[in-house]
Amino acid sequence: MPARTTRSRTSAKNGSFAAPRIDALRLPELDEADAAEIRAGGVCDLRRYAHADLTERDLTGVSFTECEFLGLEAHEAQLRGSRLLQTRVERLNAPVLGLARSTLREVRIEDSRLGAVELFDASLESVEIRGSKLSWVNLRAAELTDVLFTDCVIEELDLSQATAGRVAFRDCTVRSLQLEGARLSSVDLRGVELRSVSGVESMRGTVVSSAQAAELAALLAAQLGITIAE
């Protein structure tokens, strides 16, 4: 089992917010494998896939445990209901990727380029996405616990109806954030440049900077029909 990092908390001026609890991912010795062996509903353990191509493949219900992908093409790959456990993915390229109702636990995704990612009704726990660009991430009705985005640019992040706890952003840009009906706790937005937010009434449980608070106040006033005059 991977060693666990020290779990810490970050303090906010108006309360204490728990930081994401991200475990150190240390993989054991892995067997080099051919992506051609991967099948829908299959079980893949202790495998390393280099320069794998899963383009347009139906891999519904597949399970990966303690695996590593180094260079992965997955355009229009269908991984609905899949399980990714203690798995690292580097240099993933997928203009369209189906991961609806999947489970991601102790997963690291790095230096990747993703377009439309279907993650609705998914479960994410101890997940970090680092150094990546994402166009549209659909996390509607998903459950997120201990999730960290680091050095990412996201065009549209949809967390409508999601349940999220201990989620943070570091050095990120999110051009459109949707939060309608979300249930949030310890969601730290101070490390993200937000261009547009909808569902500000669902932001209970977040922490923002003073500058962000001023911008959000204007959005909330507009929604309530309040005119702010100088």
Side-chain angles (χ1 to χ4, degrees):
M1 296 293 292
R4 293 183 178 272
T5 57
T6 301
R7 297 186 172 184
S8 61
R9 301 176 68 88
T10 56
S11 296
K13 184 176 182 180
N14 295 320
S16 183
F17 282 76
R21 301 171 181 178
I22 303 295
D23 298 330
L25 181 60
R26 297 190 177 96
L27 296 173
E29 184 175 349
L30 304 177
D31 294 327
E32 302 294 334
D34 187 339
E37 72 175 16
I38 303 172
R39 295 287 184 268
V43 176
C44 305
D45 296 342
L46 298 168
R47 299 284 196 269
R48 174 179 290 114
Y49 301 97
H51 308 294
D53 191 346
L54 304 179
T55 299
E56 297 183 348
R57 292 186 60 184
D58 183 357
L59 301 172
T60 301
V62 69
S63 177
F64 298 99
T65 302
E66 292 187 303
C67 290
E68 185 174 55
F69 289 88
L70 302 176
L72 172 59
E73 295 290 331
H75 178 45
E76 293 192 351
Q78 183 54 254
L79 291 97
R80 181 185 294 262
S82 62
R83 291 171 60 83
L84 281 74
L85 312 177
Q86 296 170 251
T87 291
R88 177 182 293 113
V89 182
E90 295 184 8
R91 303 186 307 281
L92 164 61
N93 181 53
V96 179
L97 182 60
L99 282 164
R101 299 187 175 91
S102 293
T103 297
L104 282 69
R105 185 165 68 242
E106 295 185 57
V107 170
R108 306 291 174 265
I109 299 175
E110 303 177 21
D111 301 324
S112 296
R113 299 295 178 266
L114 304 174
V117 186
E118 292 283 1
L119 276 162
F120 60 85
D121 293 328
S123 174
L124 283 70
E125 181 180 353
S126 187
V127 173
E128 181 177 10
I129 302 177
R130 175 184 291 271
S132 299
K133 292 185 177 180
L134 308 95
S135 295
W136 176 53
V137 185
N138 180 359
L139 282 159
R140 293 179 67 92
E143 295 186 4
L144 295 83
T145 306
D146 299 318
V147 176
L148 177 62
F149 294 89
T150 302
D151 190 24
C152 290
V153 175
I154 305 173
E155 295 292 331
E156 183 176 349
L157 179 59
D158 189 350
L159 289 169
S160 302
Q161 307 297 322
T163 300
R166 297 193 299 269
V167 175
F169 299 80
R170 297 176 183 167
D171 300 319
C172 292
T173 296
V174 175
R175 293 192 168 89
S176 176
L177 176 62
Q178 299 175 26
L179 295 172
E180 288 85 352
R183 294 168 296 280
L184 311 176
S185 61
S186 292
V187 174
D188 192 344
L189 299 174
R190 290 172 294 179
V192 58
E193 179 184 351
L194 295 170
R195 304 288 179 83
S196 172
V197 180
S198 61
V200 291
E201 67 278 2
S202 296
M203 291 189 68
R204 180 184 179 89
T206 66
V207 56
V208 299
S209 68
S210 56
Q212 288 171 322
E215 295 171 354
L216 291 167
L219 288 173
L220 183 58
Q223 286 193 9
L224 297 174
I226 299 171
T227 300
I228 301 176
E230 295 183 0

PDB file of all heavy atoms in Angstrom, residues 135-141 154-162 169 174-184 189 194 196-203:
ATOM      1  N   SER A 135     -10.973  21.178 -21.596  1.00  0.00           N
ATOM      2  CA  SER A 135     -11.979  22.059 -22.185  1.00  0.00           C
ATOM      3  C   SER A 135     -13.272  22.050 -21.386  1.00  0.00           C
ATOM      4  O   SER A 135     -13.700  23.075 -20.864  1.00  0.00           O
ATOM      5  CB  SER A 135     -12.256  21.666 -23.645  1.00  0.00           C
ATOM      6  OG  SER A 135     -11.099  21.881 -24.432  1.00  0.00           O
ATOM      7  N   TRP A 136     -13.930  20.914 -21.293  1.00  0.00           N
ATOM      8  CA  TRP A 136     -15.204  20.825 -20.578  1.00  0.00           C
ATOM      9  C   TRP A 136     -15.184  19.590 -19.709  1.00  0.00           C
ATOM     10  O   TRP A 136     -15.036  18.467 -20.199  1.00  0.00           O
ATOM     11  CB  TRP A 136     -16.368  20.751 -21.569  1.00  0.00           C
ATOM     12  CG  TRP A 136     -17.706  20.574 -20.917  1.00  0.00           C
ATOM     13  CD1 TRP A 136     -18.239  21.342 -19.918  1.00  0.00           C
ATOM     14  CD2 TRP A 136     -18.677  19.560 -21.188  1.00  0.00           C
ATOM     15  NE1 TRP A 136     -19.481  20.870 -19.562  1.00  0.00           N
ATOM     16  CE2 TRP A 136     -19.784  19.777 -20.323  1.00  0.00           C
ATOM     17  CE3 TRP A 136     -18.722  18.481 -22.078  1.00  0.00           C
ATOM     18  CZ2 TRP A 136     -20.911  18.964 -20.323  1.00  0.00           C
ATOM     19  CZ3 TRP A 136     -19.843  17.664 -22.085  1.00  0.00           C
ATOM     20  CH2 TRP A 136     -20.926  17.918 -21.225  1.00  0.00           C
ATOM     21  N   VAL A 137     -15.309  19.779 -18.399  1.00  0.00           N
ATOM     22  CA  VAL A 137     -15.291  18.677 -17.448  1.00  0.00           C
ATOM     23  C   VAL A 137     -16.675  18.581 -16.816  1.00  0.00           C
ATOM     24  O   VAL A 137     -17.081  19.451 -16.043  1.00  0.00           O
ATOM     25  CB  VAL A 137     -14.214  18.879 -16.366  1.00  0.00           C
ATOM     26  CG1 VAL A 137     -14.141  17.643 -15.462  1.00  0.00           C
ATOM     27  CG2 VAL A 137     -12.854  19.148 -16.999  1.00  0.00           C
ATOM     28  N   ASN A 138     -17.386  17.523 -17.144  1.00  0.00           N
ATOM     29  CA  ASN A 138     -18.745  17.332 -16.666  1.00  0.00           C
ATOM     30  C   ASN A 138     -18.725  16.451 -15.423  1.00  0.00           C
ATOM     31  O   ASN A 138     -18.629  15.227 -15.514  1.00  0.00           O
ATOM     32  CB  ASN A 138     -19.603  16.705 -17.765  1.00  0.00           C
ATOM     33  CG  ASN A 138     -21.047  16.487 -17.326  1.00  0.00           C
ATOM     34  OD1 ASN A 138     -21.420  16.783 -16.190  1.00  0.00           O
ATOM     35  ND2 ASN A 138     -21.869  15.977 -18.227  1.00  0.00           N
ATOM     36  N   LEU A 139     -18.810  17.089 -14.257  1.00  0.00           N
ATOM     37  CA  LEU A 139     -18.826  16.385 -12.981  1.00  0.00           C
ATOM     38  C   LEU A 139     -20.195  16.512 -12.308  1.00  0.00           C
ATOM     39  O   LEU A 139     -20.304  16.473 -11.079  1.00  0.00           O
ATOM     40  CB  LEU A 139     -17.737  16.937 -12.062  1.00  0.00           C
ATOM     41  CG  LEU A 139     -16.310  16.444 -12.353  1.00  0.00           C
ATOM     42  CD1 LEU A 139     -15.274  17.388 -11.767  1.00  0.00           C
ATOM     43  CD2 LEU A 139     -16.104  15.030 -11.812  1.00  0.00           C
ATOM     44  N   ARG A 140     -21.231  16.642 -13.094  1.00  0.00           N
ATOM     45  CA  ARG A 140     -22.574  16.781 -12.527  1.00  0.00           C
ATOM     46  C   ARG A 140     -22.916  15.556 -11.671  1.00  0.00           C
ATOM     47  O   ARG A 140     -22.708  14.414 -12.073  1.00  0.00           O
ATOM     48  CB  ARG A 140     -23.611  16.931 -13.638  1.00  0.00           C
ATOM     49  CG  ARG A 140     -23.485  18.222 -14.432  1.00  0.00           C
ATOM     50  CD  ARG A 140     -24.529  18.306 -15.522  1.00  0.00           C
ATOM     51  NE  ARG A 140     -25.870  18.433 -14.958  1.00  0.00           N
ATOM     52  CZ  ARG A 140     -26.469  19.589 -14.712  1.00  0.00           C
ATOM     53  NH1 ARG A 140     -25.848  20.736 -14.982  1.00  0.00           N
ATOM     54  NH2 ARG A 140     -27.689  19.612 -14.211  1.00  0.00           N
ATOM     55  N   ALA A 141     -23.417  15.834 -10.463  1.00  0.00           N
ATOM     56  CA  ALA A 141     -23.849  14.783  -9.532  1.00  0.00           C
ATOM     57  C   ALA A 141     -22.726  13.831  -9.141  1.00  0.00           C
ATOM     58  O   ALA A 141     -22.985  12.727  -8.657  1.00  0.00           O
ATOM     59  CB  ALA A 141     -25.033  14.008 -10.101  1.00  0.00           C
ATOM     60  N   ILE A 154      -8.828  25.241 -17.250  1.00  0.00           N
ATOM     61  CA  ILE A 154     -10.082  24.543 -17.516  1.00  0.00           C
ATOM     62  C   ILE A 154     -11.057  25.539 -18.130  1.00  0.00           C
ATOM     63  O   ILE A 154     -11.347  26.576 -17.536  1.00  0.00           O
ATOM     64  CB  ILE A 154     -10.678  23.948 -16.224  1.00  0.00           C
ATOM     65  CG1 ILE A 154      -9.656  23.045 -15.526  1.00  0.00           C
ATOM     66  CG2 ILE A 154     -11.948  23.169 -16.533  1.00  0.00           C
ATOM     67  CD1 ILE A 154     -10.102  22.561 -14.156  1.00  0.00           C
ATOM     68  N   GLU A 155     -11.546  25.216 -19.304  1.00  0.00           N
ATOM     69  CA  GLU A 155     -12.494  26.124 -19.953  1.00  0.00           C
ATOM     70  C   GLU A 155     -13.839  26.149 -19.216  1.00  0.00           C
ATOM     71  O   GLU A 155     -14.377  27.205 -18.926  1.00  0.00           O
ATOM     72  CB  GLU A 155     -12.710  25.712 -21.415  1.00  0.00           C
ATOM     73  CG  GLU A 155     -11.471  25.834 -22.293  1.00  0.00           C
ATOM     74  CD  GLU A 155     -11.056  27.273 -22.515  1.00  0.00           C
ATOM     75  OE1 GLU A 155     -11.934  28.157 -22.492  1.00  0.00           O
ATOM     76  OE2 GLU A 155      -9.857  27.513 -22.717  1.00  0.00           O
ATOM     77  N   GLU A 156     -14.383  24.987 -18.933  1.00  0.00           N
ATOM     78  CA  GLU A 156     -15.685  24.897 -18.271  1.00  0.00           C
ATOM     79  C   GLU A 156     -15.671  23.727 -17.294  1.00  0.00           C
ATOM     80  O   GLU A 156     -15.393  22.592 -17.679  1.00  0.00           O
ATOM     81  CB  GLU A 156     -16.803  24.711 -19.296  1.00  0.00           C
ATOM     82  CG  GLU A 156     -18.194  24.675 -18.697  1.00  0.00           C
ATOM     83  CD  GLU A 156     -19.283  24.585 -19.747  1.00  0.00           C
ATOM     84  OE1 GLU A 156     -18.965  24.758 -20.947  1.00  0.00           O
ATOM     85  OE2 GLU A 156     -20.443  24.331 -19.375  1.00  0.00           O
ATOM     86  N   LEU A 157     -15.989  24.019 -16.030  1.00  0.00           N
ATOM     87  CA  LEU A 157     -16.038  23.002 -14.986  1.00  0.00           C
ATOM     88  C   LEU A 157     -17.445  22.979 -14.417  1.00  0.00           C
ATOM     89  O   LEU A 157     -17.900  23.934 -13.796  1.00  0.00           O
ATOM     90  CB  LEU A 157     -15.019  23.325 -13.888  1.00  0.00           C
ATOM     91  CG  LEU A 157     -14.961  22.367 -12.692  1.00  0.00           C
ATOM     92  CD1 LEU A 157     -14.634  20.955 -13.141  1.00  0.00           C
ATOM     93  CD2 LEU A 157     -13.937  22.854 -11.670  1.00  0.00           C
ATOM     94  N   ASP A 158     -18.140  21.872 -14.640  1.00  0.00           N
ATOM     95  CA  ASP A 158     -19.534  21.750 -14.230  1.00  0.00           C
ATOM     96  C   ASP A 158     -19.622  20.857 -12.998  1.00  0.00           C
ATOM     97  O   ASP A 158     -19.440  19.644 -13.076  1.00  0.00           O
ATOM     98  CB  ASP A 158     -20.366  21.170 -15.376  1.00  0.00           C
ATOM     99  CG  ASP A 158     -21.865  21.227 -15.087  1.00  0.00           C
ATOM    100  OD1 ASP A 158     -22.244  21.542 -13.939  1.00  0.00           O
ATOM    101  OD2 ASP A 158     -22.654  20.963 -16.011  1.00  0.00           O
ATOM    102  N   LEU A 159     -19.903  21.476 -11.846  1.00  0.00           N
ATOM    103  CA  LEU A 159     -20.076  20.763 -10.588  1.00  0.00           C
ATOM    104  C   LEU A 159     -21.527  20.813 -10.123  1.00  0.00           C
ATOM    105  O   LEU A 159     -21.810  20.604  -8.936  1.00  0.00           O
ATOM    106  CB  LEU A 159     -19.162  21.353  -9.511  1.00  0.00           C
ATOM    107  CG  LEU A 159     -17.656  21.088  -9.666  1.00  0.00           C
ATOM    108  CD1 LEU A 159     -16.863  21.945  -8.701  1.00  0.00           C
ATOM    109  CD2 LEU A 159     -17.339  19.618  -9.447  1.00  0.00           C
ATOM    110  N   SER A 160     -22.436  21.048 -11.016  1.00  0.00           N
ATOM    111  CA  SER A 160     -23.845  21.131 -10.646  1.00  0.00           C
ATOM    112  C   SER A 160     -24.297  19.828  -9.996  1.00  0.00           C
ATOM    113  O   SER A 160     -23.988  18.737 -10.484  1.00  0.00           O
ATOM    114  CB  SER A 160     -24.699  21.403 -11.888  1.00  0.00           C
ATOM    115  OG  SER A 160     -24.293  22.592 -12.529  1.00  0.00           O
ATOM    116  N   GLN A 161     -25.004  19.952  -8.862  1.00  0.00           N
ATOM    117  CA  GLN A 161     -25.541  18.806  -8.127  1.00  0.00           C
ATOM    118  C   GLN A 161     -24.453  17.899  -7.550  1.00  0.00           C
ATOM    119  O   GLN A 161     -24.768  16.828  -7.017  1.00  0.00           O
ATOM    120  CB  GLN A 161     -26.489  17.976  -9.010  1.00  0.00           C
ATOM    121  CG  GLN A 161     -27.601  18.756  -9.665  1.00  0.00           C
ATOM    122  CD  GLN A 161     -28.545  19.388  -8.656  1.00  0.00           C
ATOM    123  OE1 GLN A 161     -28.843  18.796  -7.639  1.00  0.00           O
ATOM    124  NE2 GLN A 161     -29.020  20.598  -8.943  1.00  0.00           N
ATOM    125  N   ALA A 162     -23.186  18.314  -7.635  1.00  0.00           N
ATOM    126  CA  ALA A 162     -22.101  17.482  -7.108  1.00  0.00           C
ATOM    127  C   ALA A 162     -21.978  17.652  -5.596  1.00  0.00           C
ATOM    128  O   ALA A 162     -22.424  18.648  -5.014  1.00  0.00           O
ATOM    129  CB  ALA A 162     -20.780  17.847  -7.778  1.00  0.00           C
ATOM    130  N   PHE A 169      -7.606  24.280  -5.580  1.00  0.00           N
ATOM    131  CA  PHE A 169      -6.992  24.659  -6.847  1.00  0.00           C
ATOM    132  C   PHE A 169      -5.727  25.452  -6.538  1.00  0.00           C
ATOM    133  O   PHE A 169      -5.730  26.345  -5.687  1.00  0.00           O
ATOM    134  CB  PHE A 169      -7.941  25.530  -7.667  1.00  0.00           C
ATOM    135  CG  PHE A 169      -9.237  24.865  -8.048  1.00  0.00           C
ATOM    136  CD1 PHE A 169     -10.279  24.773  -7.134  1.00  0.00           C
ATOM    137  CD2 PHE A 169      -9.409  24.328  -9.324  1.00  0.00           C
ATOM    138  CE1 PHE A 169     -11.479  24.168  -7.472  1.00  0.00           C
ATOM    139  CE2 PHE A 169     -10.598  23.728  -9.677  1.00  0.00           C
ATOM    140  CZ  PHE A 169     -11.636  23.638  -8.748  1.00  0.00           C
ATOM    141  N   VAL A 174     -10.027  28.863 -14.338  1.00  0.00           N
ATOM    142  CA  VAL A 174     -11.291  28.241 -14.729  1.00  0.00           C
ATOM    143  C   VAL A 174     -12.136  29.335 -15.355  1.00  0.00           C
ATOM    144  O   VAL A 174     -12.522  30.290 -14.693  1.00  0.00           O
ATOM    145  CB  VAL A 174     -12.020  27.612 -13.531  1.00  0.00           C
ATOM    146  CG1 VAL A 174     -13.391  27.076 -13.965  1.00  0.00           C
ATOM    147  CG2 VAL A 174     -11.191  26.487 -12.920  1.00  0.00           C
ATOM    148  N   ARG A 175     -12.413  29.200 -16.636  1.00  0.00           N
ATOM    149  CA  ARG A 175     -13.128  30.275 -17.334  1.00  0.00           C
ATOM    150  C   ARG A 175     -14.618  30.260 -17.038  1.00  0.00           C
ATOM    151  O   ARG A 175     -15.265  31.297 -17.082  1.00  0.00           O
ATOM    152  CB  ARG A 175     -12.846  30.178 -18.834  1.00  0.00           C
ATOM    153  CG  ARG A 175     -11.387  30.480 -19.158  1.00  0.00           C
ATOM    154  CD  ARG A 175     -11.110  30.695 -20.640  1.00  0.00           C
ATOM    155  NE  ARG A 175      -9.786  31.252 -20.822  1.00  0.00           N
ATOM    156  CZ  ARG A 175      -8.682  30.540 -20.966  1.00  0.00           C
ATOM    157  NH1 ARG A 175      -8.758  29.227 -20.952  1.00  0.00           N
ATOM    158  NH2 ARG A 175      -7.504  31.120 -21.115  1.00  0.00           N
ATOM    159  N   SER A 176     -15.189  29.094 -16.746  1.00  0.00           N
ATOM    160  CA  SER A 176     -16.608  29.013 -16.396  1.00  0.00           C
ATOM    161  C   SER A 176     -16.793  27.918 -15.355  1.00  0.00           C
ATOM    162  O   SER A 176     -16.448  26.759 -15.600  1.00  0.00           O
ATOM    163  CB  SER A 176     -17.456  28.713 -17.640  1.00  0.00           C
ATOM    164  OG  SER A 176     -18.822  28.540 -17.289  1.00  0.00           O
ATOM    165  N   LEU A 177     -17.331  28.300 -14.192  1.00  0.00           N
ATOM    166  CA  LEU A 177     -17.577  27.360 -13.104  1.00  0.00           C
ATOM    167  C   LEU A 177     -19.075  27.319 -12.833  1.00  0.00           C
ATOM    168  O   LEU A 177     -19.697  28.349 -12.583  1.00  0.00           O
ATOM    169  CB  LEU A 177     -16.826  27.790 -11.846  1.00  0.00           C
ATOM    170  CG  LEU A 177     -17.053  26.964 -10.583  1.00  0.00           C
ATOM    171  CD1 LEU A 177     -16.602  25.517 -10.790  1.00  0.00           C
ATOM    172  CD2 LEU A 177     -16.324  27.587  -9.390  1.00  0.00           C
ATOM    173  N   GLN A 178     -19.651  26.114 -12.887  1.00  0.00           N
ATOM    174  CA  GLN A 178     -21.086  25.941 -12.659  1.00  0.00           C
ATOM    175  C   GLN A 178     -21.285  25.170 -11.364  1.00  0.00           C
ATOM    176  O   GLN A 178     -20.746  24.075 -11.196  1.00  0.00           O
ATOM    177  CB  GLN A 178     -21.715  25.195 -13.834  1.00  0.00           C
ATOM    178  CG  GLN A 178     -21.563  25.930 -15.159  1.00  0.00           C
ATOM    179  CD  GLN A 178     -22.079  25.116 -16.331  1.00  0.00           C
ATOM    180  OE1 GLN A 178     -22.946  24.258 -16.171  1.00  0.00           O
ATOM    181  NE2 GLN A 178     -21.549  25.383 -17.514  1.00  0.00           N
ATOM    182  N   LEU A 179     -22.102  25.753 -10.465  1.00  0.00           N
ATOM    183  CA  LEU A 179     -22.262  25.183  -9.129  1.00  0.00           C
ATOM    184  C   LEU A 179     -23.717  24.977  -8.730  1.00  0.00           C
ATOM    185  O   LEU A 179     -23.994  24.680  -7.563  1.00  0.00           O
ATOM    186  CB  LEU A 179     -21.598  26.100  -8.092  1.00  0.00           C
ATOM    187  CG  LEU A 179     -20.080  26.265  -8.169  1.00  0.00           C
ATOM    188  CD1 LEU A 179     -19.623  27.346  -7.210  1.00  0.00           C
ATOM    189  CD2 LEU A 179     -19.376  24.949  -7.866  1.00  0.00           C
ATOM    190  N   GLU A 180     -24.640  25.078  -9.646  1.00  0.00           N
ATOM    191  CA  GLU A 180     -26.046  24.991  -9.281  1.00  0.00           C
ATOM    192  C   GLU A 180     -26.350  23.693  -8.533  1.00  0.00           C
ATOM    193  O   GLU A 180     -26.082  22.606  -9.017  1.00  0.00           O
ATOM    194  CB  GLU A 180     -26.932  25.070 -10.531  1.00  0.00           C
ATOM    195  CG  GLU A 180     -26.995  26.440 -11.173  1.00  0.00           C
ATOM    196  CD  GLU A 180     -25.852  26.723 -12.131  1.00  0.00           C
ATOM    197  OE1 GLU A 180     -24.894  25.903 -12.190  1.00  0.00           O
ATOM    198  OE2 GLU A 180     -25.904  27.751 -12.822  1.00  0.00           O
ATOM    199  N   GLY A 181     -26.902  23.840  -7.326  1.00  0.00           N
ATOM    200  CA  GLY A 181     -27.307  22.677  -6.549  1.00  0.00           C
ATOM    201  C   GLY A 181     -26.167  21.882  -5.950  1.00  0.00           C
ATOM    202  O   GLY A 181     -26.396  20.792  -5.405  1.00  0.00           O
ATOM    203  N   ALA A 182     -24.937  22.389  -5.998  1.00  0.00           N
ATOM    204  CA  ALA A 182     -23.791  21.665  -5.438  1.00  0.00           C
ATOM    205  C   ALA A 182     -23.814  21.725  -3.913  1.00  0.00           C
ATOM    206  O   ALA A 182     -24.313  22.682  -3.311  1.00  0.00           O
ATOM    207  CB  ALA A 182     -22.486  22.245  -5.967  1.00  0.00           C
ATOM    208  N   ARG A 183     -23.258  20.704  -3.276  1.00  0.00           N
ATOM    209  CA  ARG A 183     -23.110  20.654  -1.825  1.00  0.00           C
ATOM    210  C   ARG A 183     -21.604  20.608  -1.543  1.00  0.00           C
ATOM    211  O   ARG A 183     -20.949  19.592  -1.833  1.00  0.00           O
ATOM    212  CB  ARG A 183     -23.834  19.422  -1.262  1.00  0.00           C
ATOM    213  CG  ARG A 183     -25.344  19.501  -1.443  1.00  0.00           C
ATOM    214  CD  ARG A 183     -26.037  18.182  -1.173  1.00  0.00           C
ATOM    215  NE  ARG A 183     -25.640  17.145  -2.122  1.00  0.00           N
ATOM    216  CZ  ARG A 183     -26.136  17.045  -3.355  1.00  0.00           C
ATOM    217  NH1 ARG A 183     -27.023  17.925  -3.794  1.00  0.00           N
ATOM    218  NH2 ARG A 183     -25.733  16.082  -4.159  1.00  0.00           N
ATOM    219  N   LEU A 184     -21.084  21.695  -0.986  1.00  0.00           N
ATOM    220  CA  LEU A 184     -19.639  21.885  -0.901  1.00  0.00           C
ATOM    221  C   LEU A 184     -19.195  22.032   0.552  1.00  0.00           C
ATOM    222  O   LEU A 184     -19.893  22.629   1.376  1.00  0.00           O
ATOM    223  CB  LEU A 184     -19.231  23.137  -1.680  1.00  0.00           C
ATOM    224  CG  LEU A 184     -19.781  23.261  -3.117  1.00  0.00           C
ATOM    225  CD1 LEU A 184     -19.357  24.600  -3.715  1.00  0.00           C
ATOM    226  CD2 LEU A 184     -19.303  22.098  -3.979  1.00  0.00           C
ATOM    227  N   LEU A 189     -11.023  27.968  -3.269  1.00  0.00           N
ATOM    228  CA  LEU A 189     -10.957  28.581  -4.595  1.00  0.00           C
ATOM    229  C   LEU A 189      -9.915  29.690  -4.681  1.00  0.00           C
ATOM    230  O   LEU A 189      -9.815  30.368  -5.710  1.00  0.00           O
ATOM    231  CB  LEU A 189     -12.335  29.147  -4.965  1.00  0.00           C
ATOM    232  CG  LEU A 189     -13.484  28.132  -5.052  1.00  0.00           C
ATOM    233  CD1 LEU A 189     -14.805  28.868  -5.274  1.00  0.00           C
ATOM    234  CD2 LEU A 189     -13.239  27.119  -6.156  1.00  0.00           C
ATOM    235  N   LEU A 194     -11.030  32.872 -11.555  1.00  0.00           N
ATOM    236  CA  LEU A 194     -12.371  32.565 -12.028  1.00  0.00           C
ATOM    237  C   LEU A 194     -12.839  33.656 -12.976  1.00  0.00           C
ATOM    238  O   LEU A 194     -12.833  34.830 -12.632  1.00  0.00           O
ATOM    239  CB  LEU A 194     -13.340  32.461 -10.842  1.00  0.00           C
ATOM    240  CG  LEU A 194     -13.085  31.317  -9.853  1.00  0.00           C
ATOM    241  CD1 LEU A 194     -13.959  31.475  -8.623  1.00  0.00           C
ATOM    242  CD2 LEU A 194     -13.347  29.969 -10.517  1.00  0.00           C
ATOM    243  N   SER A 196     -15.955  33.272 -14.742  1.00  0.00           N
ATOM    244  CA  SER A 196     -17.414  33.294 -14.692  1.00  0.00           C
ATOM    245  C   SER A 196     -17.881  32.216 -13.727  1.00  0.00           C
ATOM    246  O   SER A 196     -17.356  31.106 -13.740  1.00  0.00           O
ATOM    247  CB  SER A 196     -18.002  33.057 -16.090  1.00  0.00           C
ATOM    248  OG  SER A 196     -19.405  32.900 -16.035  1.00  0.00           O
ATOM    249  N   VAL A 197     -18.861  32.563 -12.875  1.00  0.00           N
ATOM    250  CA  VAL A 197     -19.420  31.613 -11.921  1.00  0.00           C
ATOM    251  C   VAL A 197     -20.936  31.675 -11.989  1.00  0.00           C
ATOM    252  O   VAL A 197     -21.525  32.750 -11.924  1.00  0.00           O
ATOM    253  CB  VAL A 197     -18.970  31.911 -10.478  1.00  0.00           C
ATOM    254  CG1 VAL A 197     -19.566  30.889  -9.516  1.00  0.00           C
ATOM    255  CG2 VAL A 197     -17.453  31.925 -10.368  1.00  0.00           C
ATOM    256  N   SER A 198     -21.577  30.518 -12.123  1.00  0.00           N
ATOM    257  CA  SER A 198     -23.024  30.447 -12.012  1.00  0.00           C
ATOM    258  C   SER A 198     -23.370  29.548 -10.835  1.00  0.00           C
ATOM    259  O   SER A 198     -22.613  28.653 -10.479  1.00  0.00           O
ATOM    260  CB  SER A 198     -23.650  29.891 -13.301  1.00  0.00           C
ATOM    261  OG  SER A 198     -23.199  28.577 -13.562  1.00  0.00           O
ATOM    262  N   GLY A 199     -24.489  29.842 -10.197  1.00  0.00           N
ATOM    263  CA  GLY A 199     -24.859  29.105  -8.999  1.00  0.00           C
ATOM    264  C   GLY A 199     -24.142  29.601  -7.766  1.00  0.00           C
ATOM    265  O   GLY A 199     -23.822  28.810  -6.873  1.00  0.00           O
ATOM    266  N   VAL A 200     -23.907  30.922  -7.690  1.00  0.00           N
ATOM    267  CA  VAL A 200     -23.188  31.470  -6.527  1.00  0.00           C
ATOM    268  C   VAL A 200     -23.945  31.212  -5.232  1.00  0.00           C
ATOM    269  O   VAL A 200     -23.348  31.196  -4.156  1.00  0.00           O
ATOM    270  CB  VAL A 200     -22.907  32.977  -6.703  1.00  0.00           C
ATOM    271  CG1 VAL A 200     -21.888  33.216  -7.783  1.00  0.00           C
ATOM    272  CG2 VAL A 200     -24.189  33.746  -6.985  1.00  0.00           C
ATOM    273  N   GLU A 201     -25.248  30.987  -5.327  1.00  0.00           N
ATOM    274  CA  GLU A 201     -26.029  30.707  -4.121  1.00  0.00           C
ATOM    275  C   GLU A 201     -25.658  29.357  -3.518  1.00  0.00           C
ATOM    276  O   GLU A 201     -26.020  29.057  -2.371  1.00  0.00           O
ATOM    277  CB  GLU A 201     -27.524  30.741  -4.444  1.00  0.00           C
ATOM    278  CG  GLU A 201     -28.016  29.628  -5.358  1.00  0.00           C
ATOM    279  CD  GLU A 201     -27.772  29.890  -6.836  1.00  0.00           C
ATOM    280  OE1 GLU A 201     -27.171  30.935  -7.177  1.00  0.00           O
ATOM    281  OE2 GLU A 201     -28.178  29.048  -7.655  1.00  0.00           O
ATOM    282  N   SER A 202     -24.911  28.526  -4.252  1.00  0.00           N
ATOM    283  CA  SER A 202     -24.488  27.204  -3.769  1.00  0.00           C
ATOM    284  C   SER A 202     -23.043  27.212  -3.290  1.00  0.00           C
ATOM    285  O   SER A 202     -22.448  26.145  -3.119  1.00  0.00           O
ATOM    286  CB  SER A 202     -24.664  26.154  -4.878  1.00  0.00           C
ATOM    287  OG  SER A 202     -26.017  26.004  -5.231  1.00  0.00           O
ATOM    288  N   MET A 203     -22.462  28.385  -3.046  1.00  0.00           N
ATOM    289  CA  MET A 203     -21.052  28.470  -2.688  1.00  0.00           C
ATOM    290  C   MET A 203     -20.784  28.314  -1.198  1.00  0.00           C
ATOM    291  O   MET A 203     -19.646  28.447  -0.757  1.00  0.00           O
ATOM    292  CB  MET A 203     -20.453  29.784  -3.199  1.00  0.00           C
ATOM    293  CG  MET A 203     -20.340  29.844  -4.706  1.00  0.00           C
ATOM    294  SD  MET A 203     -19.406  31.270  -5.299  1.00  0.00           S
ATOM    295  CE  MET A 203     -17.754  30.878  -4.727  1.00  0.00           C
TER     296      MET A 203
END
